[in-house]
Amino acid sequence: MTTPSTTASTGVWRRIPLWQKILAGLALGILAGALMGEDASVFKPIGDIFISAIKMLIVPLVFSTLVVGITAMRDPQKMGRIGIRTIGLYLLTTAFAIAIGLLASLIFQPGVGLTMSFESGVEAQDAPSLVEILVGLVPQNPIDALASGNILQIIVFAIGLGISLTMIGEKGEPVVRVFESFAEAMYKLTSFVMALAPFGVFGLIAHVSGSYGLEVLLPLAKVIGVAYLASVLHVLIVYSGLLALLGRLNPVRYLKGILDALVVAYSSASSSGTLPVSLRCAQKNLGVSEGVAGFVLPVGATINMDGTAIYQGVVAVFIAQLLGVELSMMDYGMIIVTGTLASIGTAGVPGAGLVMLSIVMAQIGLPLEAIAVIAGIDRILDMARTSVNVAGDLMVTTLVGKSEGELDEAVYNASDKR
């Protein structure tokens, strides 16, 4: 039997914004990990269930929202225009990200005064050639691409299907309506999964904080701090600045509207895994149309690597300082150019962060074996760079929506973000 006190408690819980619930789970997870140490891994299955539920949503959500987004545009020229703007903004912010990472490392010098050894055995990585990238975009079997979760191939197939449905006119309308209904069902399923987010985040963070003791973090605390500081500055200066200058939008509303996605990105360290939450934030909190959000966000989750770019800048300078190697202005310029271009070539490659970093280090003559120095803290760094990537996806989506007249500013400026 439901008592009045139970009903009141449930009502209070429902009135609390989701991001506050998730932050509470984050804080309690850190506390549990600090108190219980490795025993906090008992909570890991809770986080694993949440991540599995999020991953369950990715492929059907990306596919259905992309098809719906393309058919909603009904204009191939508009789609091309949005695509050019999206990729251009992603490349611009990636160049800024590397520069900020370099600047932060030069100011705070995280590698100076440290003496650390590293193991050999890290091999040079090569970015795939342009031909390999283009060939790999087209799925030989779209069902296999859907089953294996190859997001780039899914995007290509969904775009092709969406354009075809638009071009056949009335004959395509029944299929379009099926996809619209399917997308709505996925949005509702996403809301169900997100109700588990506070508990899932608690389980994930309790395990992570319990696994990384002070003995691992203290010697490398400075490089962690510099990477996190650069990440925060990039979001506050570059993303907020672009929104204010190009979009004439209040950055505070943007930051408040993306909190749900940021906390999930931080705890899961997966841009693709955060995609369902990002779509929800873009439409419900920021007021971006379904068509623009459904097109820009899946592309961004695949190719946007601002957080990884910051990581490259910080780690490259850190390793150079650690080894006593003086980098020239030409080396710094090479890091920015190579890192920006490598972000295109390695977008769909597993372990893209390592591939990009090895390419950059090879270009400036640093030994690749030194990558092993940061291997122990890579998860901590990955959480920050994923958060930046997701924040960038949502910023670009907002700007593109604004430029296309598909941003509901009444929703964007609403004071109560749930």
Side-chain angles (χ1 to χ4, degrees):
M1 181 176 178
T2 303
T3 64
S5 60
T6 303
T7 304
S9 299
T10 303
V12 171
W13 175 255
R14 288 178 177 174
R15 287 195 297 271
I16 300 174
L18 180 61
W19 67 268
Q20 292 183 10
K21 297 176 187 175
I22 296 175
L23 280 180
L26 183 70
L28 290 173
I30 292 173
L31 180 62
L35 294 176
M36 299 176 64
E38 293 187 0
D39 290 338
S41 61
V42 69
F43 299 117
K44 187 173 181 290
I46 301 173
D48 290 340
I49 291 172
F50 174 63
I51 292 300
S52 295
I54 287 286
K55 289 180 177 179
M56 173 185 70
L57 300 172
I58 295 172
V59 169
L61 190 61
V62 168
F63 186 56
S64 61
T65 54
L66 265 175
V67 172
V68 170
I70 297 300
T71 55
M73 291 184 199
R74 300 187 182 279
D75 182 0
Q77 289 185 344
K78 180 179 180 180
M79 188 188 71
R81 186 172 63 245
I82 288 176
I84 291 172
R85 286 178 179 171
T86 297
I87 294 173
L89 283 169
Y90 283 142
L91 291 178
L92 175 66
T93 57
T94 297
F96 274 120
I98 299 176
I100 287 177
L102 289 173
L103 184 61
S105 289
L106 289 172
I107 292 173
F108 296 102
Q109 301 190 354
V112 173
L114 286 179
T115 302
M116 301 183 70
S117 60
F118 52 84
E119 299 176 359
S120 60
V122 179
E123 297 181 358
Q125 301 285 332
D126 294 319
S129 67
L130 179 60
V131 173
E132 291 174 329
I133 295 169
L134 294 177
V135 170
L137 287 176
V138 181
Q140 296 181 10
N141 182 344
I143 304 302
D144 181 61
L146 290 166
S148 61
N150 189 320
I151 299 297
L152 277 175
Q153 293 186 350
I154 291 171
I155 289 173
V156 171
F157 179 59
I159 290 174
L161 180 59
I163 293 174
S164 300
L165 289 171
T166 301
M167 293 181 69
I168 62 176
E170 291 185 5
K171 291 183 178 179
E173 287 300 321
V175 180
V176 171
R177 287 195 292 271
V178 169
F179 274 104
E180 288 174 346
S181 297
F182 184 58
E184 287 298 325
M186 291 307 303
Y187 297 148
K188 178 57 68 175
L189 183 56
T190 298
S191 68
F192 293 154
V193 172
M194 284 310 299
L196 302 174
F199 309 100
V201 167
F202 167 80
L204 290 169
I205 294 300
H207 169 67
V208 171
S209 60
S211 299
Y212 289 91
L214 290 179
E215 67 276 4
V216 176
L217 299 181
L218 281 180
L220 298 170
K222 197 171 183 181
V223 71
I224 295 173
V226 171
Y228 272 61
L229 175 63
S231 298
V232 171
L233 290 176
H234 186 67
V235 173
L236 295 180
I237 296 175
V238 177
Y239 294 162
S240 298
L242 287 174
L243 281 170
L245 292 174
L246 300 181
R248 305 297 182 187
L249 296 168
N250 184 346
V252 176
R253 301 295 188 193
Y254 152 77
L255 293 171
K256 189 176 180 182
I258 67 173
L259 281 173
D260 293 356
L262 287 186
V263 179
V264 173
Y266 186 79
S267 57
S268 68
S270 171
S271 295
S272 296
T274 310
L275 184 57
V277 190
S278 299
L279 283 163
R280 182 175 180 273
C281 287
Q283 295 177 51
K284 303 297 184 183
N285 294 353
L286 301 178
V288 182
S289 71
E290 182 180 4
V292 170
F295 179 80
V296 178
L297 281 173
V299 173
T302 309
I303 71 170
N304 177 36
M305 294 201 170
D306 285 6
T308 306
I310 291 172
Y311 161 83
Q312 289 177 72
V314 171
V315 171
V317 175
F318 167 72
I319 290 174
Q321 292 170 350
L322 190 67
L323 301 175
V325 176
E326 290 288 339
L327 297 178
S328 65
M329 290 302 296
M330 181 68 73
D331 290 329
Y332 293 126
M334 186 64 69
I335 292 173
I336 294 175
V337 173
T338 305
T340 303
L341 295 178
S343 69
I344 305 171
T346 59
V349 177
L354 177 61
V355 175
M356 291 173 66
L357 181 60
S358 66
I359 292 170
V360 170
M361 289 180 62
Q363 287 296 316
I364 59 176
L366 292 177
L368 298 177
E369 292 83 4
I371 293 175
V373 171
I374 60 159
I377 58 166
D378 189 63
R379 168 73 185 196
I380 303 295
L381 296 173
D382 196 11
M383 293 160 73
R385 61 184 185 247
T386 302
S387 301
V388 174
N389 290 344
V390 168
D393 296 344
L394 286 160
M395 185 279 296
V396 170
T397 302
T398 304
L399 272 185
V400 172
K402 171 73 174 181
S403 69
E404 292 294 325
E406 296 196 27
L407 178 74
D408 187 339
E409 295 195 41
V411 174
Y412 183 90
N413 292 316
S415 59
D416 188 16
K417 304 289 187 187
R418 297 287 176 160

